Amino acid sequence: MQQGIHHRLERALRDAVKKLYDVELGDVVSKRPPKPSLGDAAFPIAFDLARKAKLAPRKIAEALVPALSGVAGVDRVEVAGAGYLNVFLERGGFVSSYLAGDEAPTATSDKVIVEHTNINPNKAAHIGHLRNAALGDTFVRALRYRGENVEVQNYIDDTGVQVADVVVGFLHLEHKSFEDVKAIAEGDERFDYVCWDLYARVSDYYAEDRDRTRLRENTLKAIEENTEPEGPLGAYIAERIVRCHLATMERIDVRYDLLPWESDILRLHFWERAFELLKEKQAIRLSSQGKNVGCWVMDASDGDPDPKEDRTEEDEKVIVRSNGTVTYVGKDIAYQMWKLGLLDRQFGFERFHTYDDGQTVWSTTSATPAPTQADEIPSFGEGQRVYNVIDVRQAYLQDIVQRGVALLASESARERSHHFSYEMVALTPATCRELGFPVSPEEESKPYLEVSGRRGLGVKADDLLQALEDKAVSKGMKRNAELHADEQRIIAQTIARGAVRYFMIKYTKNKVIAFDFEEALAFDGDSGPYLQYAAVRAAKILEKVDVDPTQVSVPESLDECFVSLDPDEAEDVWALVFGAAELASVVEAVVRTEEPAHLAHFALALAQQFNGFYHRYHIAGEPDETKRALRLLAVQMFYREHTTALELMGIPVPARM
RNA sequence: GCGCCUGUAGCUCAGUAGGAUAGAGCGUCGGAUUCCUAAUCCGAAGGUCACAGGUUCGAAUCCUGUCAGGCGUACCA
């Protein structure tokens, strides 16, 4: 149901109920009736009123019919079942106002910042990162669809333990110099893959000799302070890996506006400033005893502190380690404050990467600003709302960060920051074996196993994309043998992208995806290629009848056309037209519930409906003009809204399949 | 222990702030290709919505309890 008409109906109901029963209604919800023949929208409102008005629901519904019948755009209203108010819309009017954009939602003028991807820059991206990026990017597209001003940030944790581990690996395990590492990075082997393997070996290296973890601590400190040789080497590795990640994400059409580097947060004293403020507000304290002695900690207990009980160490979270280095949480507090426009510090900015079409990815910098024209730099930061796309395992840390924000700024500042949380991608024991990893009997009995970069256990994003592409090529060879190999390759890439993006979006966020190759490689049924296929077929029909696929041609006197049609067919046409037009409200739901899966389910249902439709009705060869015009309208509306939905999910439409 | 999440068809999952007969995909079985591509479509079989109470005109959905599983509770992120 569209915004405009829904508001009109809601207002009419509210007024009528007030007048007839002297009751103020809260939010009025409309439902889709279980069958299209029952109407376009149903209001179950009479049931609520029955008690208050002490009347039978049906009686109330009947009394409210006149109020709704008078609303502009309504054809007729019926009372059904025990007391549903079912509204039938004027079809012609609905289509033309929808196409004119009259029903479009209005956006706020607020700036929205979405932070996603955030891969540790020390190894290749894996399938879990694809889920993060696909969710985040789809959400960004949904926000932009409704007209929001969105800035996409991909936070780079280049001063964390994971980068330190790879530095340790190169320096102490491999005994490589900076120049050696540079040669490796510029060599033939993929650098992110080399680091993936090295990172896994470092874990073993630590395990062999406990004392070696001291190397990690010292390396971390050197990276933070940017001292030779670990600092520059860490910075070099991180930058090279980030470029690999950008390339991987470009394969699924995910892009960024800004890369904020954690090292800049340190170098530009963002953290120092936040630290000052935290101390000032007494949000943190120096621990003088227990296991956290010498650390700066934040109170993490919930509820009222019981003065009788001693505060235990479990109730505190370390913000600054005893050796003076800052944890991720500390740095993230500073970063969140900056994103919300609440820190009196600013980054320097420089161009980092330019995509083929000229779009720039900017990067923060703490170096002396290059002589870039100041007016060329977009104004970054200062988000009115901030979404942090971070997996659910970090919920506790995010909570600490938000506490910090609340203590430093205000409770309302905390509320402007959302943890857009999602569950992990795990591996089934079968997939682990398939990948050649030993699975212990204990692990074998588990439903799924966690991806572990430390063990090197995981499916790399690029490997999955490659497997999908190869499968799509071999299928394409059979179906469209006459196509040139280059064309096959391009089509296969779009199919691979569609398959991955849909796969990562179709599960609701709070579901663990137990990754299974066979399932991920499926091209039938509930899959990206199924959605793409429907779009390709619709495009072909429009091509055949020679109409502009971007335009929808509405027959004059649409309402009469519907009446003259066979009732079953009229229902089928209308169901497709009306179903397609629900896109806008689905996007609203995506934003409201922070759940991109709604978009996937909408597109699947719509594609199924269309596939059924074109099998049943021929369009190009239909001699009856009215029938042809209405069927064409259905195909055009489907094509328009379906391809938009695909676009929002980052799923491209191939030239053919 | 405490906190968060999950439990719906053989399997994987939907179910849009309580609504009409609980839906898809895969798998199984049976059909459809002289006609806009069969990566498609049509049909069939398949359910104690984990269990027990409660609230309500109405519960898969809300509340309480129980059971089962997962994650978190690090000077990793």
Side-chain angles (χ1 to χ4, degrees), chain A residues 537-551:
Chain A
R537 296 297 307 269
K540 188 59 188 270
I541 292 169
L542 299 179
E543 188 188 310
K544 184 123 180 168
V545 296
D546 197 24
V547 295
D548 180 353
T550 61
Q551 293 294 315

Side-chain angles (χ1 to χ4, degrees), chain A residues 19 22 24 244 266 268 273 297 447 465 505 509:
Chain A
K19 209 167 122 194
D22 195 32
E24 291 284 354
C244 293
L266 294 172
L268 294 169
R273 179 68 183 133
V297 298
L465 280 160
I505 288 303
K509 290 186 306 174

Side-chain angles (χ1 to χ4, degrees), chain A residues 434-545:
Chain A
E434 209 177 310
L435 292 169
F437 284 94
V439 179
S440 69
E442 188 198 346
E443 289 174 327
E444 191 65 53
S445 65
K446 294 199 164 204
Y448 46 77
L449 304 174
E450 207 173 326
V451 168
S452 166
R454 293 195 176 277
R455 285 171 68 188
L457 174 56
V459 177
K460 296 184 198 79
D462 283 306
D463 288 353
L464 173 61
L465 280 160
Q466 200 53 52
L468 285 163
E469 204 176 304
D470 292 346
K471 182 180 170 183
V473 165
S474 73
K475 265 199 124 162
M477 293 295 198
K478 283 186 216 140
R479 297 170 60 84
N480 300 305
E482 75 287 0
L483 285 183
H484 191 268
D486 292 346
E487 272 180 285
Q488 298 278 17
R489 181 54 61 183
I490 290 169
I491 290 170
Q493 281 168 356
T494 67
I495 291 171
R497 179 187 296 175
V500 169
R501 290 211 49 154
Y502 185 75
F503 183 80
M504 293 300 172
I505 288 303
K506 72 172 184 171
Y507 300 96
T508 49
K509 290 186 306 174
N510 55 4
K511 219 94 184 181
V512 175
I513 298 179
F515 184 84
D516 180 81
F517 264 110
E518 208 177 317
E519 222 177 286
L521 289 173
F523 285 180
D524 306 321
D526 186 12
S527 73
Y530 177 90
L531 303 187
Q532 292 173 311
Y533 186 72
V536 169
R537 296 297 307 269
K540 188 59 188 270
I541 292 169
L542 299 179
E543 188 188 310
K544 184 123 180 168
V545 296

